Structures are given as structure tokens and as C-alpha cells.
Amino acid sequence: MSAQPRPEASTPGSAAQAGADRAGSVQAPEARLLTEAVTRLRRALRSSIRTDYPWETLPMAQVELLQVLGEHSPARISDLAARRRLAPSTVSGLIGQMISAGLVARDVDAADRRASVVTLTDAGREKLAAWTTAHERRIDAALGALDDDAREAIGNALPALFQLAENLGGEAGEGPSER
């Protein structure tokens, strides 16, 4: 495992401080480290799932739509686009691919028969459950390799990480109490 990156000292007059002053803000060392940690976690998880579970070929954008539909179904394309912060045309294209794969179905919106909604199919639910289980197994194994203090620190950080996600513009209600 590579060493954890260490923040540069940012003292007045240093090159790091001068760059921060020119940019108009100071980037906290914690922000840099957290960005690096999240990036590494996402990359490692994506890579490990493809290595350990080669059957998993679902693109992440489709997985994220399945996750939203797993919690908020049925949903209109515009609602899915807003929740994932994507263009409706992008979501529409992804949904078309997912319909062809049998993961979702398009139905008439019962509240407004002029509109359509997207729902998970049984195959979509099964795919999402398999994807979630595979990722939970990978994370559980990685957590199991940590010492008790590290696992406790991660557990204690979870509420703050959910709050951080909400502060970054994450969807309300994505916290641990509603999962």
C-alpha cells in the first residue's frame, strides 16, 4: 500500500500560499486529502469489482440510475436527471439502453397520463442487489483487514461524511438513518 499523502505546509509567503492567494481561496489540507481518499476509494472499488467479479459490466452511470430507482420508483426521466445532476437527454439515452437490457421499463404516469415514468424490472432489482452485495463484500473484506482503531475511526466518520455529501449538494435524505 502506498503512503498516505501529506499536506504541504502553507505558510504566508510560501509557494503554496501564493498559489492559493492568486486563486482567491485557500484549499485546506483536509480537503486535498479527502479528495484524494475518495478518488482512490472509487478507483479501487471499481477496479476490484471488475477483477473479482468479471461478470459485472454495468456502467457506473446505469448503476447510479438503478440505485435511484431502487429508492424512488417510479420516476420521470426529468426527476432522474435532476437527482443525478445529468442532462435529461443523457438520462433518456441511458434509460433506453437499460430498457433494451431488461433492467427498467417505461410506463404511463398514473398521475399524468401524458407523461411516462421508469420503473425497475425484476431483472433490474436482481442486478442492483447483486452489484450491492458484491461491493459490500469487497468493502467488508477491506475493513476486516484494518485494525480495530481504523475500523472505529471509519465508523465514527460516517455521519460526518453523509453530512459532507449533503453540503456538497447531495440529495436530501441520503443519510444513514434513511438507508
Side-chain angles (χ1 to χ4, degrees), residues 7-82:
E8 282 182 23
S10 185
T11 57
S14 72
Q17 183 66 41
D21 289 343
R22 280 192 300 274
S25 67
V26 176
Q27 185 180 23
E30 294 84 5
R32 242 186 349 265
L33 289 174
L34 185 57
T35 299
E36 177 66 18
V38 168
T39 300
R40 286 184 185 192
L41 283 169
R42 286 181 58 99
R43 187 180 311 127
L45 195 53
R46 268 195 319 268
S47 174
S48 71
I49 201 71
R50 302 281 192 242
T51 301
D52 291 355
Y53 305 98
W55 51 264
E56 181 50 66
T57 59
L58 199 59
M60 196 61 209
Q62 290 184 14
V63 169
E64 290 175 354
L65 288 174
L66 288 177
Q67 289 171 324
V68 172
L69 285 168
E71 294 178 13
H72 307 281
S73 184
R76 292 182 180 190
I77 298 283
S78 59
D79 295 335
L80 292 170

Side-chain angles (χ1 to χ4, degrees), residues 57-144:
T57 59
L58 199 59
M60 196 61 209
Q62 290 184 14
V63 169
E64 290 175 354
L65 288 174
L66 288 177
Q67 289 171 324
V68 172
L69 285 168
E71 294 178 13
H72 307 281
S73 184
R76 292 182 180 190
I77 298 283
S78 59
D79 295 335
L80 292 170
R83 287 182 185 280
R84 298 305 322 144
R85 292 182 172 73
L86 295 169
S89 61
T90 299
V91 172
S92 185
L94 290 167
I95 292 298
Q97 294 168 6
M98 295 166 70
I99 288 170
S100 295
L103 301 174
V104 299
R106 192 181 313 254
D107 297 311
V108 174
D109 187 344
D112 179 357
R113 301 208 44 86
R114 298 170 296 168
S116 64
V117 292
V118 179
T119 58
L120 280 177
T121 62
D122 288 342
R125 274 191 229 20
E126 290 171 13
K127 187 75 152 175
L128 179 59
W131 186 92
T132 301
T133 299
H135 277 73
E136 287 172 354
R137 271 196 304 258
R138 292 293 301 151
I139 291 173
D140 191 50
L143 286 169

Side-chain angles (χ1 to χ4, degrees), residues 147-158:
D147 64 36
D148 290 343
D149 290 340
R151 279 193 306 276
E152 183 178 352
I154 290 170
N156 290 338
L158 290 174

